[in-house]
Amino acid sequence: MVLKKGNTSPLIDRPLLNVQQVREDFPVLAREVNGQPLVYLDNAASAQKPRQVVERLSRYYALEHANIHRGVHFLSQEATSAYEAARATVAKFINAAEPRECIFTRGTTEALNLVASSWGGANLQAGDEVLITQMEHHANIVPWQLLEQSHGIKLVVAPIDERGQLIVEEWEKLLSPRTKLVAFCHASNALGTINPAKALIKKAHERGIPVLLDGAQSSAHFKIDVQELDCDWFALSGHKLFGPTGIGVLYGKADLLNAMPPYQGGGDMIEKVSFSGTTFRHIPERFEAGTPHIAGAIGLAAAMDYIESIGHKPIEAQERDLLHYATERMREIEGLKIYGEAENKVAVISFDIPGIHPNDIGTMLDADGIAVRTGHHCTMPLWERFGLTGTTRASFAFYNTRGEIDSFVESLTKIKRMFLGA
Ligand SMILES: *Cc1c(COP(=O)(O)O)cnc(C)c1O
């Protein structure tokens, strides 16, 4: 979703999303918490699940379950078809050229570790550099630090500005003949910043450097087209995309993936096993050792179908409205400082009220039934950049409303008065 000045025509900004109707698909949104209607503003940590996903999972487990591949019986073949159909749905959702380019993983974290361990382990040597940014999630920092320890590579970090935007000129200066991989988040979970991925990928490719995109946030907020981006790998998590936990995707270009060594060994990923040597299958099976999360893949496809049924345009318009509205209303609270004021943002707002600890803000909001996240949001080095240890973060999905933002701001105002007076 793109936050652009001057694009405020209500007709352009707010097409076609009937929020009240959409909310009925999410049973949890009707709950009360601490005697108040739940206001769920922790979507960047994990999004809620529509009935369509829950019912699909339930039907699979109740009626359709068997282990996939290798089975000659009816249920196994049916489950195999559903699992492979889910892969095709994923491919369509991110516009991959072929389903086999979509590997099911446990989530973004495992997808990033897969690339670091398999591609990194085989292709990186002492002195080689991996370029990331200051706004990365720990999942896009620590796997590279493990390679620093095991392979002697060097992790290079590009700086961001006060508004939480990557300083592209500085990033570009850090691309050197030693740079063997570029990795960055498509959208930041902590700041909301959308990085100019397509332009960065082009600059890296001009120097022959492959690019890994962390799409855990971006995929939940706007349409992804991996062919248009031309990224070499793209990682996403089902649970942030209104789907099940424990399932995610690593997209990779077919030739690149097929040239990578296996990540884990076991059943399903082999061609032939003998004690004198084993040969491996091609993608996607090469990277899916063992019984996969069959239900998770099927549930993720149901979530993607659900998003497509609403449409990316109405979702983006609704979230753009929520981001604008919440930003404006929060700015009414004197002393409150928003971290992350990039021109292009997803609907994530990190903030600090000097004098009140984020944990106190989070606890007090919870007493009013409002769920936010407090702390470092798995981006500790980012907060170091701003001289903080963490923030409070409100993050929105298309099922949130302006009315919920009003409740949130009212509660914040009350908390501030309690702690700081007036
Ligand atoms: C959540 C998140 C991750 C990690 O995703 P998991 O689902 O926990 O594996 C990585 N990067 C970003 C930007 C995230 O928001």
Side-chain angles (χ1 to χ4, degrees):
M1 193 201 62
V2 177
L3 175 63
K4 274 215 179 82
K5 289 193 190 80
N7 183 18
T8 49
S9 155
L11 286 175
I12 294 171
D13 264 14
R14 310 214 61 198
L16 300 176
L17 183 65
N18 183 338
V19 180
Q20 286 316 320
Q21 192 184 324
V22 159
R23 286 176 70 84
E24 289 183 6
D25 292 332
F26 293 82
V28 71
L29 299 179
R31 283 193 67 178
E32 289 199 346
V33 169
N34 294 322
Q36 302 288 331
L38 168 68
V39 174
Y40 188 77
L41 304 181
D42 195 18
N43 294 286
S46 204
Q48 296 297 345
K49 320 304 170 197
R51 275 180 214 288
Q52 288 81 346
V53 169
V54 178
E55 282 164 11
R56 185 67 193 93
L57 288 171
S58 168
R59 181 153 56 89
Y60 170 76
Y61 276 127
L63 296 171
E64 300 173 8
H65 172 70
N67 209 338
I68 57 166
H69 302 143
R70 301 177 310 274
V72 296
H73 62 79
F74 175 84
L75 277 182
S76 173
Q77 289 178 6
E78 188 180 61
T80 304
S81 299
Y83 183 74
E84 292 306 328
R87 196 189 306 282
T89 300
V90 170
K92 200 158 144 273
F93 191 80
I94 61 171
N95 196 31
E98 303 170 71
R100 67 186 176 128
E101 294 180 314
C102 301
I103 312 293
F104 285 116
T105 64
R106 279 196 300 122
T108 300
T109 301
E110 188 178 42
L112 299 175
N113 275 279
L114 195 166
V115 175
S117 167
S118 164
W119 186 87
N123 292 284
L124 298 179
Q125 293 164 8
D128 287 347
E129 294 179 359
V130 171
L131 177 60
I132 61 166
T133 79
Q134 229 168 6
M135 69 177 96
E136 297 313 313
H137 188 283
H138 295 165
N140 198 21
I141 300 174
V142 183
W144 312 115
Q145 290 178 327
L146 294 175
L147 280 173
E148 285 188 308
Q149 288 172 13
S150 63
H151 286 62
I153 70 147
K154 184 159 175 258
L155 186 55
V156 179
V157 183
I160 61 173
D161 65 18
E162 266 312 299
R163 303 181 67 178
Q165 303 176 112
L166 179 68
I167 307 171
V168 174
E169 310 81 69
E170 296 297 321
W171 175 86
E172 203 167 350
K173 277 188 215 152
L174 293 169
L175 292 172
S176 85
R178 288 182 303 279
T179 313
K180 293 290 154 45
L181 177 77
V182 159
F184 60 89
C185 58
H186 197 185
S188 157
N189 64 303
L191 300 168
T193 309
I194 300 172
N195 280 312
K198 198 178 166 189
L200 299 180
I201 290 165
K202 191 159 173 281
K203 286 179 200 289
H205 283 174
E206 281 163 8
R207 295 162 174 84
I209 307 166
V211 181
L212 166 60
L213 262 194
D214 171 354
Q217 290 299 327
S218 61
S219 57
H221 292 286
F222 55 89
K223 172 71 188 159
I224 301 298
D225 184 334
V226 290
Q227 293 188 79
E228 154 97 6
L229 286 164
D230 198 28
C231 52
D232 298 280
W233 300 277
F234 186 95
L236 65 81
S237 289
H239 71 100
K240 293 186 177 174
L241 208 65
F242 315 96
T245 55
I247 189 77
V249 175
L250 173 68
Y251 157 84
K253 289 179 179 167
D255 291 348
L256 186 60
L257 288 177
N258 269 328
M260 285 161 52
Y263 167 59
Q264 293 177 332
D268 242 17
M269 51 78 74
I270 45 82
E271 226 160 47
K272 188 166 184 300
V273 176
S274 83
F275 287 119
S276 58
T278 290
T279 50
F280 307 115
R281 295 177 69 180
H282 289 298
I283 55 168
E285 289 84 8
R286 166 182 297 240
F287 295 109
E288 293 183 0
T291 302
H293 189 359
I294 306 163
I298 292 169
L300 174 57
M304 288 175 168
D305 284 341
Y306 178 78
I307 292 168
E308 298 282 10
S309 78
I310 297 177
H312 276 97
K313 281 224 158 61
I315 287 175
E316 288 172 31
Q318 168 69 2
E319 291 191 10
R320 184 159 51 228
D321 181 70
L322 294 169
L323 177 60
H324 273 296
Y325 185 69
T327 303
E328 261 172 45
R329 295 275 350 249
M330 289 167 74
R331 284 195 179 127
E332 290 167 14
I333 301 174
E334 213 179 304
L336 181 150
K337 176 153 173 51
I338 291 174
Y339 287 86
E341 297 185 298
E343 182 110 4
N344 288 338
K345 270 188 79 170
V346 293
V348 167
I349 305 179
S350 260
F351 64 97
D352 184 51
I353 304 178
I356 318 180
H357 195 281
N359 281 351
D360 289 330
I361 296 177
T363 307
M364 301 284 297
L365 285 170
D366 180 59
D368 286 340
I370 301 167
V372 296
R373 187 135 302 236
T374 62
H376 56 62
H377 318 300
C378 295
T379 55
M380 287 170 93
L382 169 69
W383 299 121
E384 233 170 82
R385 154 74 177 74
F386 287 105
L388 297 171
T389 54
T391 60
T392 307
R393 180 186 70 189
S395 53
F396 306 89
F398 56 82
Y399 46 59
N400 290 125
T401 65
R402 284 189 175 209
E404 289 181 317
I405 291 169
D406 291 335
S407 306
F408 166 62
V409 169
E410 194 182 311
S411 183
L412 268 184
T413 308
K414 185 182 73 184
I415 293 163
K416 193 192 150 205
R417 202 179 315 120
M418 282 176 60
F419 275 83
L420 304 176

